[in-house]
Amino acid sequence: MGKRLENLQIKTARWRRVRMNRRVRKFKIMSRHPFAVPVITFSVLIVLTLALVLIFSGHFKHKSDAYVVIVSHDNIEQTVPSRQPTVGTLLAKLNIRLNQGDVVEPDLKAHINQDKFRINVYRAVPVAIVDAGQTNFTFSAATTPRAIANQAGVKVYPDDLLTSQPTKNFISEQAIGETINIKRSVPISLILYGTPIVTRSHSDTIGQMLQEKNIVLHNGDTVQPAQDTPISANQQIFILRKGTKIVTATQPIPFPVQSISDPSLSSGSTAIRQQGSAGVLLITYQVDEKTGVQKQLQSVQLQPPVPQIIVRGTAPVSGNLGSWLLKLRQCESGGNYQDNTGNGYYGAYQFSLGTWQRLGLSGLPSNAPPSVQDQAIVQNTNRSSGGIASQNPGCYYKTGISAFPPSQ
């Protein structure tokens, strides 16, 4: 058996050598043909060209993919074609340096996604911040007193009052921009029906503080110290009710959003000029120990909300509302107004029932006429502080549409 296997291996090796020799002789014969070398060379060049195209196609975009961008900085307006993806990368490409306190709108992470995209660079100027009698100097291009203080790293509380006034004497005040005055609120410890609360106040007396915080005294309530007592920092103030079970709960107070139109920014672009923060509301309840029924006693604003200020561009851009809607619904549902796959989202723009009903609409979005769905997505997008960029960032980046719909 072993001998047979050895003979078989020898025969196989001989057959392979014969076959290889035949191929070599055939190639030598073909290579003697007068057109053999040009044909082989041409084939190799084609293969190399295709390989280079495949390699570099991912690195170089077609000229039509470039956007025209208008950059305003240092009292000049610079119009450039760009394939840079974000505001920050374009400014770096143009070698536009940012200094302490400078402000860029839209922000550096904003995506450049349309022609005539506008970028504004605001240069910081010296400003003075007067806090508790001490004056600090900084550089800032922010537009609200609170934003300037935050940019300078000055801790301010929602209860603090910030005002601004123009600089009157550049030499003595050492400021070109505004002077920011901070009127500090006073921290107090309020013990409300046995629950300790830390809050802040601008009131002069305890009675004024009760009105400021909307605290109403009911029958059986007592206040210590007396209401005409002047308020001092970290003072303890007791509001008591004997023989009553009290429970408390806190809930956030949503911050309001203020919108400002700016014709120097592209339509669809936004920028935050002041960060908002939620307030805190404390609610106290008197509990009937027999029935367990709760009766609300007080609703105290422990911390006021800080409004968020957003600027929205109004400068016209290329494109129209019809193309904006088309791109969005193609991304959302393939353009199907009757889309209803059972995933909880309906119609061309994939509305949830909750969002649809908050817009004052009834029924299923997928059953509504196309014109109603179009109007609904425009209304819902404009209600958001970030538009499509925050509602559906996937479609926003994929389609390259503006964050907010064009006006027409």
Side-chain angles (χ1 to χ4, degrees), residues 140-149 164 178 180 273-275 309:
S140 178
T143 56
T144 70
R146 192 172 290 272
I148 291 173
S164 64
E178 299 173 304
I180 307 301
R273 290 190 174 171
Q274 177 174 287
Q275 289 286 353
I309 300 177

Side-chain angles (χ1 to χ4, degrees), residues 54-358:
L54 291 174
I55 292 172
F56 290 103
S57 62
H59 297 278
F60 295 98
K61 297 183 179 179
H62 193 270
K63 185 177 180 181
S64 61
D65 290 336
Y67 292 117
V68 175
V69 183
I70 304 170
V71 184
S72 297
H73 65 98
D74 303 305
N75 297 320
I76 63 173
E77 187 174 271
Q78 187 175 358
T79 301
V80 296
S82 175
R83 296 186 180 91
Q84 296 299 320
T86 66
V87 171
T89 56
L90 176 58
L91 294 184
K93 181 75 173 180
L94 297 176
N95 199 28
I96 298 176
R97 297 183 178 181
L98 300 178
N99 304 313
Q100 176 189 351
D102 289 349
V103 172
V104 179
E105 292 182 352
D107 64 37
L108 298 177
K109 296 180 181 179
H111 282 252
I112 300 173
N113 55 14
Q114 57 192 350
D115 265 331
K116 296 183 180 180
F117 190 90
R118 291 178 174 267
I119 301 172
N120 296 328
V121 178
Y122 299 101
R123 294 301 187 184
V125 296
V127 297
I129 300 177
V130 182
D131 182 12
Q134 294 185 346
T135 302
N136 299 313
F137 298 97
T138 187
F139 291 85
S140 178
T143 56
T144 70
R146 192 172 290 272
I148 291 173
N150 288 333
Q151 192 180 52
V154 177
K155 172 71 173 179
V156 290
Y157 296 91
D159 304 82
D160 295 339
L161 299 179
L162 285 80
T163 57
S164 64
Q165 63 183 27
T167 298
K168 298 178 181 178
N169 190 315
F170 299 150
I171 297 177
S172 63
E173 297 182 25
Q174 301 181 34
I176 298 176
E178 299 173 304
T179 297
I180 307 301
N181 295 287
I182 302 177
K183 183 182 179 182
R184 291 292 184 178
S185 53
V186 176
I188 57 175
S189 179
L190 177 64
I191 293 84
L192 185 63
Y193 306 124
T195 300
I197 302 163
V198 177
T199 185
R200 305 180 73 90
S201 175
H202 281 283
S203 299
D204 296 323
T205 66
I206 292 177
Q208 292 175 0
M209 184 276 298
L210 296 180
Q211 294 180 356
E212 177 190 346
K213 300 297 182 182
N214 194 33
I215 298 176
V216 180
L217 299 179
H218 301 278
N219 290 334
D221 289 347
T222 59
V223 180
Q224 297 177 2
Q227 294 191 39
D228 58 357
T229 304
I231 288 181
S232 58
N234 300 312
Q235 183 177 12
Q236 287 189 326
I237 302 171
F238 295 84
I239 299 178
L240 306 172
R241 171 176 290 197
K242 294 183 178 181
T244 303
K245 182 180 179 181
I246 304 294
V247 296
T248 61
T250 59
Q251 64 183 42
I253 306 173
F255 58 78
V257 177
Q258 301 175 5
S259 296
I260 301 173
S261 297
D262 189 341
S264 70
L265 284 176
S266 305
S267 178
S269 295
T270 61
I272 297 177
R273 290 190 174 171
Q274 177 174 287
Q275 289 286 353
S277 63
V280 180
L281 190 69
L282 177 75
I283 304 175
T284 60
Y285 300 91
Q286 176 179 334
V287 181
D288 189 314
E289 296 185 353
K290 293 182 179 180
T291 63
V293 175
Q294 296 183 356
K295 177 183 177 182
Q296 182 174 322
L297 289 178
Q298 306 287 352
S299 179
V300 182
Q301 181 178 270
L302 299 182
Q303 178 179 300
V306 174
Q308 182 155 295
I309 300 177
I310 296 177
V311 58
R312 293 184 175 180
T314 58
V317 295
S318 59
N320 55 50
L321 179 59
S323 63
W324 188 91
L325 291 169
L326 175 62
K327 291 180 180 179
L328 180 58
R329 64 175 175 264
Q330 287 287 350
C331 178
E332 291 275 13
S333 66
N336 182 11
Y337 282 97
Q338 289 78 42
D339 190 72
N340 182 0
T341 59
N343 63 352
Y345 297 92
Y346 306 87
Y349 306 102
Q350 294 293 279
F351 281 103
S352 67
L353 284 180
T355 301
W356 187 255
Q357 292 166 0
R358 281 193 294 273

Side-chain angles (χ1 to χ4, degrees), residues 360-374:
L361 301 170
S362 59
L364 290 177
S366 53
N367 294 336
S371 61
V372 174
Q373 295 187 43
D374 291 346

Side-chain angles (χ1 to χ4, degrees), residues 11-52:
K11 290 180 180 180
T12 301
R14 289 175 180 174
W15 179 80
R16 288 177 178 173
R17 284 196 298 271
V18 171
R19 188 176 180 184
M20 180 61 69
N21 291 334
R22 287 176 181 175
R23 289 181 178 179
V24 171
R25 286 196 299 271
K26 186 177 181 180
F27 179 77
K28 288 181 178 179
I29 294 172
M30 291 178 62
S31 64
R32 297 191 188 103
H33 195 280
F35 297 106
V37 173
V39 169
I40 295 173
T41 303
F42 182 72
S43 300
V44 171
L45 290 176
I46 290 178
V47 172
L48 290 176
T49 302
L50 291 175
L52 290 174

